[in-house]
Amino acid sequence: MSLSRSPSPKPGGGWASPGLNTPYVDVSGRSSPGKAYRTNGAGANTVTWESAKAKSEGVNSYPSFSTQNNGFFTRHYRTISNSLPRFNMGRGPEKSYAEKEKLGRGRWSSRDGSKIAKLGNFLGRISYKMRLRLLAILAVIVLIIIFYTTPLHYYWRRAKHLGGGKKHVIILAANQGGGVMEWKGPREWAIERDSVRNKRKYAKRWGYELEIVDMSTKKRYAHEWRESWEKVDTIRNCLRKYPDAEWFWWMDLNTFVMEPSYSLQSHIFNNLAANTYRDINQYNPLNITHPFDSPYLDEEALSVNGDGKDSSINLIVPQDCSGFNLGSFFIKRSAWTDRLLDVWWDPVGYEQKHMEWEHKEQDALEFLYINQPWIRPHTAFIEQRKINSFPPGACSENGNDDRIHYNEKDRDFVVNMAGCEWGRDCWGEMYNYRELSNYLNRNWWELFKEEIVAVIWFKITGHKVKL
Amino acid sequence: MHLALPTRKSSHPPAYANRSSRYPMLRRSRVQAILIGLCAVGVLLFLCSHIFGGGERIPSGTPPVVIVTVVDEENYSSQYIKNIKENRIEYARKHGYTTFFPTIKDYDLKGSPASWTRVPAVRHALTKFPFTTYVWYLDQNSLIMNPDLAVETHIMNPKVLESLMIKDQSIVPPDSVIKTFSHLKGENVDLVVTQDKEGLAQGSFIVRRGAWSKFFLDTWFDPLYRSYNFQRADTHALEHIVQWHPTILSKLALVPQRKMNSYGRASVTDESGAYKDGDFVIRFHGCEQMGRDCQAEADPFSKQWRTVFHAR
């Protein structure tokens, strides 16, 4: 029951005070306290006939005025009164009107009490709706924290239709050329340990699959020598082993993921068209004629970009200073890929070219790309530094090249220490890049320790400290 | 402020209660109607795109089959070539097919034997007739003898093809280890060839259009095969890729030789492949060799096909 007007005296004497049993009297903070009305009449507890009648009238018969939500004031009673300044009244039983001076009556509320009390006061005053909203925001924040502190986010990122991590498989070629060819020393073991740990951490972070394959030279093919084409068999095995996966990322052992915070999706696959190019003329170290000039070929094979759709890209290869580089490349599950893997190695080609093809399967792929028109519309290239930056030692005949060499300012994604086994120090490079990656990706606590505390300490004491 | 009595009510009550909603246009029932309408439109668009836009649109009037014959104008008389062309054209006209006659000089083979021309020729046909379902390559030393047989129903229909295909058959007879698949569905077949006594006979083969056919032809035409000096050039290259690459073998169906590649009597064949009246095609296999004359061998059949074609 609400009032549209303030209580008023009835002609028969006494007060019609239908608001007595409403909450407003106690909490609304109106300037005229209900108590005063009560005591004003024939005493605190006397109830006149008229007043009782008026009261029961309010309950039993039709009220003299509508009690529904009519009138601006009634509807916005609460909001308005909440926003009004509060007078100090009716707080606690000890504050009676007898001690006028202590009440601070008629003055602004002092809003005394601690901060917690203030907060409680605030919470008490905000409306129910607002309280719900605040609760919802709080719940969202709590849920986000729970999401990232529990393995929940891992499963989310892994799931096929949410994060899509299961769609990506990293194939890491361990033990390349090992086995019968050479023994592994402590440095080789260390390289392998670091490289595997790096990929494992990366794969775990984003929910990808990691397949570590043993590439040691084995007498796998009794009747023909096709070492380093095992890549093909390995990819085929992975296609079978991970039926949910879409993209397979081949990585040599001498690679290092420098920026584990980049996901493959955000780094490459969410915007494939912008991150790759199909027109090899953009960067063409092999001087391949592109597109074909044979007039009998179809439009797609003659176009520079194939059909131009993202979905038709099945192979993503970086190019270094001397052509394709298969140290880090992507291949997609498709019928086209099956065909490519099938014809990649062919005895007739091998017999004629194995002396020429120094880089074996890499040269064979280049040959296929150059000669077989069905390959080109589905092959895309990626700027080398997106997935395969070289250290200064590789491809260095012409000095440092922006397109090839790692630059820590740009935070390149992956370093491939290609060719380090020929006259360079693989373990040294691996170690340096590992440390650099850790340095670049320090978390806020490490940053705080090293950039603030250690610096201040150095200024005060003159000693460098390692925290 | 304190009024003793309520104010007098107006004697003219408002005709309708005020609507409390801020957006009078968006009544609940109306919102529902709008949402349902939007959903319906979306579903309709989806269905339409699936019915009409699904896959590529094949223009009407596209011939279902193109017959490709590479003609050698240097070594054969123009009369012989005219006869060959007429034979294909008349057959094609009967079934609504089309024909394509490139010459041997049209393609740059970079020094490989002329018989390789068939591969770029078929590739060219796929380019030229991008919506035609089947490309039938028919060698110039052959004639279509039975105009009633249509390629799609007589050979390429999946059901028919399943009954025709020779399963578990060595690619190179009599005993090569690589054999044709024993469980192959008719609709998965993209290449139909026949086999004679010596191996695959690519004088007459049918390719279905698609990404696979481009892959197959490009692989077949690889320069390393052309430079390899296979004894019988493209024939052996074909046998090679079929045996070494399962993605090719898995799309290939062998059909009985007389279905589309019967040999004339003088040709190398066992009895099962020899031409009998009523067969689809006769081929004068090996007639280009020394001591034989294609034109003389073809002559009696040239008259025969004309009478057969015109009798109906």
Side-chain angles (χ1 to χ4, degrees):
Chain A
M1 188 171 173
S2 62
L3 290 172
S4 61
R5 300 172 295 131
S6 45
S8 51
K10 278 236 158 187
W15 292 82
S17 37
L20 272 183
N21 51 352
T22 67
Y24 294 103
V25 175
D26 299 321
V27 299
S28 70
R30 259 183 297 143
S31 60
S32 40
K35 220 176 180 178
Y37 289 114
R38 257 185 274 151
T39 48
N40 204 15
N45 294 322
T46 42
V47 178
T48 60
W49 170 248
E50 281 84 4
S51 72
K53 195 179 167 197
K55 197 174 173 187
S56 64
E57 239 175 27
V59 178
N60 295 327
S61 64
Y62 296 110
S64 58
F65 48 83
S66 167
T67 57
Q68 292 304 311
N69 274 350
N70 59 353
F72 174 84
F73 188 63
T74 326
R75 271 190 274 121
H76 299 281
Y77 205 123
R78 200 187 177 102
T79 20
I80 290 170
S81 60
N82 267 336
S83 64
L84 287 173
R86 289 164 73 83
F87 286 89
N88 216 357
M89 47 150 286
R91 276 190 166 265
E94 79 282 356
K95 289 180 178 172
S96 77
Y97 281 83
E99 304 167 89
K100 284 183 179 174
E101 282 317 304
K102 288 180 188 171
L103 280 172
R105 196 154 52 113
R107 292 180 202 134
W108 301 120
S109 157
S110 62
R111 313 229 164 169
D112 51 47
S114 64
K115 284 201 172 159
I116 294 168
K118 264 188 186 170
L119 186 71
N121 199 4
F122 171 72
L123 285 176
R125 267 183 294 118
I126 55 174
S127 68
Y128 178 68
K129 241 183 195 171
M130 197 61 187
R131 227 176 287 179
L132 269 187
R133 277 177 205 158
L134 285 178
L135 202 69
I137 292 170
L138 196 74
V140 167
I141 293 170
V142 166
L143 280 178
I144 288 172
I145 291 170
I146 287 175
F147 182 73
Y148 281 103
T149 49
T150 59
L152 209 63
H153 72 284
Y154 172 74
Y155 292 109
W156 174 282
R157 283 173 178 173
R158 234 180 114 59
K160 213 168 154 189
H161 297 291
L162 303 171
K166 262 189 173 177
K167 287 189 179 169
H168 300 266
V169 175
I170 301 172
I171 307 174
L172 179 63
N175 236 338
Q176 230 155 8
V180 296
M181 302 300 270
E182 53 189 277
W183 291 105
K184 270 207 274 199
R187 279 166 168 267
E188 282 74 33
W189 281 112
I191 290 168
E192 187 167 315
R193 182 199 62 204
D194 271 18
S195 176
V196 168
R197 187 186 287 158
N198 171 249
K199 271 52 155 218
R200 191 167 277 156
K201 252 171 114 177
Y202 180 70
K204 185 154 190 292
R205 175 162 186 168
W206 292 106
Y208 303 145
E209 307 274 9
L210 175 66
E211 177 75 9
I212 302 166
V213 289
D214 179 12
M215 300 291 286
S216 58
T217 315
K218 280 182 205 135
K219 222 182 160 190
R220 197 171 292 164
Y221 307 103
H223 58 292
E224 85 264 1
W225 185 247
R226 46 167 145 164
E227 183 206 334
S228 104
W229 264 275
E230 292 115 340
K231 210 168 256 187
V232 173
D233 294 325
T234 308
I235 294 171
R236 241 191 239 142
N237 287 341
C238 287
L239 282 166
R240 215 170 304 132
K241 186 170 171 185
Y242 301 102
D244 288 337
E246 192 181 355
W247 281 100
F248 295 81
W249 184 14
W250 179 277
M251 291 184 97
D252 278 353
L253 188 67
N254 291 330
T255 53
F256 203 88
V257 179
M258 296 296 284
E259 300 295 333
S261 60
Y262 296 4
S263 74
L264 292 179
Q265 292 95 319
S266 67
H267 190 54
I268 297 166
F269 293 108
N270 287 350
N271 196 353
L272 211 49
N275 289 319
T276 59
Y277 59 96
R278 287 199 242 196
D279 183 2
I280 197 174
N281 297 316
Q282 197 171 321
Y283 177 63
N284 196 352
L286 291 171
N287 273 325
I288 294 168
T289 313
H290 183 78
F292 281 97
D293 51 8
S294 317
Y296 62 84
L297 293 173
D298 54 302
E299 230 173 276
E300 210 174 273
L302 290 179
S303 96
V304 172
N305 287 321
D307 65 358
K309 289 180 192 147
D310 283 3
S311 56
S312 68
I313 297 177
N314 289 322
L315 176 68
I316 304 175
V317 181
Q319 294 190 90
D320 62 22
C321 56
S322 59
F324 295 15
N325 187 296
L326 295 185
S328 164
F329 69 96
F330 293 98
I331 195 161
K332 187 189 185 182
R333 175 194 300 281
S334 65
W336 182 92
T337 299
D338 291 340
R339 290 167 198 154
L340 175 71
L341 296 176
D342 192 17
V343 298
W344 201 330
W345 191 85
D346 183 273
V348 169
Y350 188 75
E351 190 182 325
Q352 293 175 76
K353 290 286 186 181
H354 68 279
M355 299 297 282
E356 248 173 81
W357 287 348
E358 199 180 318
H359 298 291
K360 298 160 194 290
E361 87 291 353
Q362 199 168 290
D363 290 332
L365 182 66
E366 284 169 4
F367 188 87
L368 288 176
Y369 182 85
I370 292 168
N371 289 296
Q372 299 199 3
W374 68 282
I375 304 266
R376 293 197 192 181
H378 299 278
T379 305
F381 300 98
I382 187 163
E383 282 159 36
Q384 188 182 359
R385 280 184 47 207
K386 277 223 152 81
I387 57 167
N388 199 23
S389 304
F390 275 6
C395 265
S396 55
E397 287 81 16
N398 303 317
N400 242 12
D401 190 331
D402 277 350
R403 290 172 298 194
I404 295 172
H405 292 105
Y406 178 79
N407 183 346
E408 68 172 80
K409 284 203 189 69
D410 294 341
R411 307 296 287 267
D412 288 359
F413 183 35
V414 170
V415 167
N416 178 7
M417 288 141 259
C420 67
E421 59 269 40
W422 289 292
R424 280 160 42 209
D425 178 9
C426 279
W427 166 237
E429 286 183 14
M430 175 72 80
Y431 177 81
N432 282 333
Y433 280 111
R434 188 190 77 193
E435 290 302 305
L436 181 60
S437 171
N438 287 343
Y439 174 78
L440 292 173
N441 291 292
R442 286 174 295 176
N443 61 27
W444 64 268
W445 172 240
E446 288 164 331
L447 279 174
F448 170 74
K449 280 195 302 184
E450 289 164 24
E451 296 292 316
I452 298 174
V453 178
V455 170
I456 291 171
W457 185 260
F458 177 70
K459 283 202 172 138
I460 296 169
T461 64
H463 296 291
K464 283 197 171 170
V465 283
K466 198 159 167 51
L467 294 167
Chain B
M1 203 25 220
H2 292 206
L3 296 172
L5 289 167
T7 50
R8 188 185 289 275
K9 274 186 192 166
S10 161
S11 356
H12 305 286
Y16 304 101
N18 283 331
R19 225 174 255 141
S20 61
S21 168
R22 264 177 294 172
Y23 309 105
M25 285 299 291
L26 293 176
R27 258 187 297 183
R28 176 169 291 180
S29 58
R30 217 172 277 178
V31 167
Q32 273 174 354
I34 289 170
L35 282 180
I36 289 170
L38 281 178
C39 284
V41 168
V43 167
L44 211 68
L45 283 176
F46 179 77
L47 286 178
C48 284
S49 70
H50 261 244
I51 292 166
F52 301 109
E56 46 193 341
R57 216 161 300 157
I58 293 176
S60 62
T62 303
V65 176
V66 52
I67 304 167
V68 180
T69 300
V70 178
V71 293
D72 180 355
E73 282 165 337
E74 281 179 6
N75 300 319
Y76 292 84
S77 69
S78 59
Q79 195 201 341
Y80 178 80
I81 287 169
K82 189 166 158 264
N83 179 33
I84 296 284
K85 283 188 179 174
E86 269 172 15
N87 173 255
R88 316 289 194 261
I89 290 168
E90 285 209 19
Y91 170 76
R93 195 185 297 138
K94 270 195 187 320
H95 293 281
Y97 300 163
T98 188
T99 53
F100 178 49
F101 302 110
T103 69
I104 251 175
K105 284 185 184 161
D106 284 357
Y107 307 105
D108 179 16
L109 300 176
K110 303 209 169 76
S112 10
S115 61
W116 278 103
T117 324
R118 73 190 75 213
V119 187
V122 173
R123 188 79 155 87
H124 196 179
L126 285 168
T127 305
K128 225 174 151 190
F129 307 96
F131 299 107
T132 296
T133 317
Y134 302 110
V135 178
W136 178 20
Y137 178 80
L138 188 58
D139 204 54
Q140 66 172 354
N141 295 330
S142 44
L143 288 168
I144 299 167
M145 297 303 289
N146 190 342
D148 295 336
L149 301 174
V151 171
E152 322 93 287
T153 54
H154 174 57
I155 298 169
M156 293 310 290
N157 180 301
K159 284 269 150 49
V160 176
L161 196 54
E162 268 167 47
S163 67
L164 283 180
M165 62 172 85
I166 310 171
K167 292 161 183 166
D168 208 24
Q169 165 81 7
S170 287
I171 298 297
V172 181
D175 52 4
S176 98
V177 262
I178 308 295
K179 296 177 176 175
T180 54
F181 281 31
S182 47
H183 306 284
L184 194 58
K185 288 225 169 81
E187 55 260 33
N188 293 336
V189 171
D190 283 333
L191 170 67
V192 173
V193 281
T194 61
Q195 196 184 38
D196 62 18
K197 215 167 65 184
E198 291 173 335
L200 295 182
Q202 43 20 340
S204 167
F205 63 89
I206 301 170
V207 173
R208 190 212 299 263
R209 78 178 178 116
W212 184 87
S213 54
K214 290 173 190 168
F215 149 71
F216 162 67
L217 294 166
D218 290 348
T219 304
W220 191 3
F221 200 57
D222 190 290
L224 290 178
Y225 298 136
R226 282 183 281 149
S227 64
Y228 189 61
N229 290 325
F230 280 115
Q231 195 190 352
R232 280 167 62 212
D234 51 318
T235 313
H236 280 172
L238 177 64
E239 281 168 6
H240 170 83
I241 57 171
V242 167
Q243 293 186 81
W244 275 95
H245 300 304
T247 46
I248 293 176
L249 183 62
S250 63
K251 296 285 185 180
L252 170 138
L254 280 182
V255 296
Q257 193 184 344
R258 278 182 49 212
K259 276 289 155 191
M260 52 187 248
N261 199 16
S262 309
Y263 282 178
R265 246 156 237 122
S267 309
V268 195
T269 181
D270 50 8
E271 273 310 300
S272 64
Y275 175 78
K276 290 190 183 67
D277 280 341
D279 278 1
F280 191 19
V281 167
I282 184 168
R283 181 152 170 251
F284 316 107
H285 178 255
C287 70
E288 68 279 356
Q289 286 160 357
M290 289 290 286
R292 286 173 67 179
D293 181 3
C294 289
Q295 201 155 347
E297 281 182 41
D299 244 7
F301 295 100
S302 306
K303 290 188 187 89
Q304 196 183 331
W305 78 256
R306 277 175 206 275
T307 51
V308 172
F309 272 48
H310 293 283
R312 322 207 172 199

